[in-house]
Amino acid sequence: MTAISSRSAAHAAPCVQIKTAKVTGRRKLHFTSLGDMLADAEMLCSMKPVHALGNWQLGRALEHLARTIDMSLDGARFKAPWYIRLLGPLFKKRLLSRPMSPGFRLPANAAKFLIPEDECELHEALRHLRTAVTRSLATTHRHSSPVFGHLTSDEWNQLHFRHAELHLSFFVPG
């Protein structure tokens, strides 16, 4: 009998996806600085146990946040459809000032760059997030958003805060 690797076995088993829009018990978060956001991520990484209420483990969420910050600094490697680029600026103010709603799925062309395929090693993902935050704090230059077009450094930060509040709210210490 041949042994199956845990990766193969994990992909062979059916995966029940949690409907994240229906999850209860999420933490209420509001970040006003990249430092606050990073401090919350570091606190979660230091806690044992941390319960994941959604479909991702913490390392994957942190890596996703880091990749999104990198995108604001380095530019997007994908393009939103024309109709999204046309409508995006109309929704910009709302998305920058209010909590993001759970349950949204990125289109495949964006997901392949922003969402890790597999779970990520927690401390490596945290290191990447620290690096992305440090880079972001060191410059005010930002690339355009593939959805909203031109965003100032402050607008990008607001978007990162709302984005991190959404993802980190699914992780509950204890």
Side-chain angles (χ1 to χ4, degrees), residues 4-15:
I4 299 174
S5 74
S6 60
R7 180 181 169 129
S8 299
H11 288 291
C15 184

Side-chain angles (χ1 to χ4, degrees), residues 63-164:
E63 179 64 23
H64 171 62
L65 295 174
R67 288 180 182 191
T68 305
I69 294 171
D70 286 343
M71 179 190 68
S72 71
L73 300 169
D74 303 328
R77 295 174 16 197
F78 61 91
K79 198 172 186 179
W82 69 268
Y83 55 90
I84 298 293
R85 293 192 314 267
L86 182 67
L87 296 174
L90 301 174
F91 297 100
K92 178 174 86 169
K93 187 174 181 180
R94 183 199 180 286
L95 278 169
L96 298 180
S97 62
R98 296 186 193 159
M100 289 185 177
S101 300
F104 178 79
R105 288 186 167 252
L106 282 174
N109 68 325
K112 75 179 180 180
F113 294 108
L114 298 176
I115 301 174
E117 278 189 40
D118 297 312
E119 293 305 330
C120 301
E121 196 280 318
L122 181 61
H123 295 288
E124 184 60 26
L126 179 60
R127 184 203 59 74
H128 186 184
L129 183 60
R130 280 185 190 126
T131 300
V133 166
T134 299
R135 289 180 60 217
S136 185
L137 292 171
T139 182
T140 58
H141 175 74
R142 299 291 183 274
H143 284 268
S144 292
S145 162
V147 173
F148 303 114
H150 173 75
L151 295 177
T152 66
S153 178
D154 184 58
E155 288 172 328
W156 263 116
N157 286 344
Q158 293 300 318
L159 188 60
H160 294 316
F161 302 157
R162 304 298 82 83
H163 188 221

Side-chain angles (χ1 to χ4, degrees), residues 11-58:
H11 288 291
C15 184
V16 177
Q17 290 288 305
I18 295 168
K19 293 184 191 264
T20 54
K22 307 249 186 231
V23 168
T24 59
R26 292 172 39 220
R27 295 185 306 140
K28 303 274 189 254
L29 299 171
H30 183 74
F31 300 127
T32 58
S33 73
L34 291 169
D36 289 345
M37 180 191 76
L38 185 57
D40 190 73
E42 290 174 333
M43 179 273 302
L44 289 170
C45 289
S46 70
M47 301 290 290
K48 299 288 187 223
V50 171
H51 302 287
L53 303 177
N55 294 309
W56 293 358
Q57 294 302 312
L58 183 56

